[in-house]
Each structure stands twice: as C-alpha cells, then as structure tokens.
Amino acid sequence: ARMTLSALLQHERDDHSKQVLESASNVINEAVESIKEISNNLSPHVLTNFGLASAIKNFVFKVSQSKSINISFDTVLTDADRFDSNIETVMYRATCEMINNTIKHANATEVNISLEKIQRTIVIKYDDNGKGFDSEKTVMEPNSGMGLSNIASRMNSINGMFVYNSAPGDGFHAVIKVKI
C-alpha cells in the first residue's frame, strides 16, 4: 500500500487529490510504525538475540525514560545465560505485565525487580511501593482486568509458579519461579 501510494504521488494531481494521497500515506506510515512497536513488544529482538536479562533491562530503560516511575533492575545474569525461548518469552511478558499494571493502577514511585538463577530455577522478584489492593477481593471483581490471571496462566503453561500478595497501602509483591 505504501509503495502504491508513493507511485501515485509521483504523477501530476490536483491539490485536493494530492492532499488525500499524502494523508493516506501518512496514515499508512503511522500504522507501519505502530505494528513495528507492537511486534517488538510481543517478541523484542533483544529477547531473541540477547536473552531474558537484556530484554528486561531494555524494557525497564524504555519505561524509565518517561521519568514517571523509578525502576531498579538487578541481575547477575549475562547475555550468555540463555534459557528455553518459551520460558524467556513467558517470563519477559509476565514482567512487562507487572510493570504495566504498576504504572496503570498503583500510583507507585518505585519498583524493584531482581532476576537470578538459583541452582536450576530462574527467579524474578518484583516489588512496588504503590497503593496496593485487597488481593482476594480484586481477583474476584468482574472488572478487575486480566493481568494477574494472564500471568498465572502463562506461568502454568511452562510449569512455573507465580505468587503475589498485596494489601491496601502496602504495594504489590510477587515472585515468579521456573525450573529449568
């Protein structure tokens, strides 16, 4: 579509037709950029090429650019520490989901994330200083969203564990573990 519009723009047109074609071209360019961004968030090249630690570090860096929240990410893992691609993808998406939930709902100023390998288990610990919520009540509410249940479901798909707790005024705390 982009190439076709580009070819049409090369021909002589009246001003109105040219404006319509330029507008359509701009819309297509924006759509292409949105698709690239969505695709990168689903399976970023950093995850594919460099692994879980680098992908989380990269995501944290991007989010931190907004200056709306301070995220601390600690790990001793390197690019050489690679795991099954499905495990890396699920753990990456779970971490991104928790960060997004914190930004959307928690009014937090600080997030602390750690990633480590303890013997044959990958462990992510996540804590925010947000407003917290009643864990039991929120999960049962029909409008509570799918974020936490999506994380739990994804973790189950790789035989992982997702445990969290929260209380009003006490932030959100979670641990994700996957045996490798």
Side-chain angles (χ1 to χ4, degrees), residues 88-99:
E88 288 186 339
T89 300
V90 168
M91 294 188 84
Y92 171 76
R93 288 184 182 163
T95 304
C96 293
E97 181 73 31
M98 289 187 291
I99 292 170

Side-chain angles (χ1 to χ4, degrees), residues 21-176:
L21 289 172
E22 286 174 354
S23 177
S25 180
N26 288 337
V27 169
I28 288 172
N29 287 337
E30 286 178 24
V32 167
E33 291 306 312
S34 292
I35 289 169
K36 284 180 184 177
E37 188 175 317
I38 290 167
S39 174
N40 191 47
N41 285 337
L42 290 175
S43 184
H45 71 89
V46 175
L47 180 61
T48 305
N49 295 330
F50 301 105
L52 183 60
S54 290
I56 292 173
K57 193 179 304 178
N58 189 305
F59 186 79
V60 164
F61 177 77
K62 284 182 187 176
V63 171
S64 295
Q65 294 299 301
S66 71
K67 308 258 190 273
S68 63
I69 192 165
N70 182 34
I71 304 175
S72 166
F73 175 61
D74 296 312
T75 188
V76 294
L77 299 181
T78 67
D79 294 350
D81 293 305
R82 297 303 305 266
F83 311 102
D84 178 83
S85 64
N86 194 35
I87 289 173
E88 288 186 339
T89 300
V90 168
M91 294 188 84
Y92 171 76
R93 288 184 182 163
T95 304
C96 293
E97 181 73 31
M98 289 187 291
I99 292 170
N100 286 327
N101 285 347
T102 294
I103 291 168
K104 278 171 78 174
H105 305 293
N107 296 328
T109 58
E110 300 279 330
V111 174
N112 294 302
I113 305 168
S114 67
L115 169 65
E116 58 189 332
K117 183 176 140 200
I118 302 171
Q119 295 172 350
R120 300 206 34 86
T121 303
I122 307 170
V123 179
I124 294 176
K125 294 178 184 171
Y126 184 98
D127 297 286
D128 75 33
N129 69 346
K131 64 183 179 181
F133 57 92
D134 183 336
S135 298
E136 293 177 24
K137 192 175 179 184
T138 300
V139 172
M140 298 308 215
E141 289 178 4
N143 295 328
S144 68
M146 299 294 294
L148 296 176
S149 59
N150 279 345
I151 293 171
S153 176
R154 286 179 178 157
M155 295 312 300
N156 284 336
S157 75
I158 58 170
N159 297 315
M161 180 187 84
F162 172 55
V163 177
Y164 68 91
N165 63 53
S166 184
D170 188 38
F172 175 77
H173 315 281
V175 176
I176 294 174

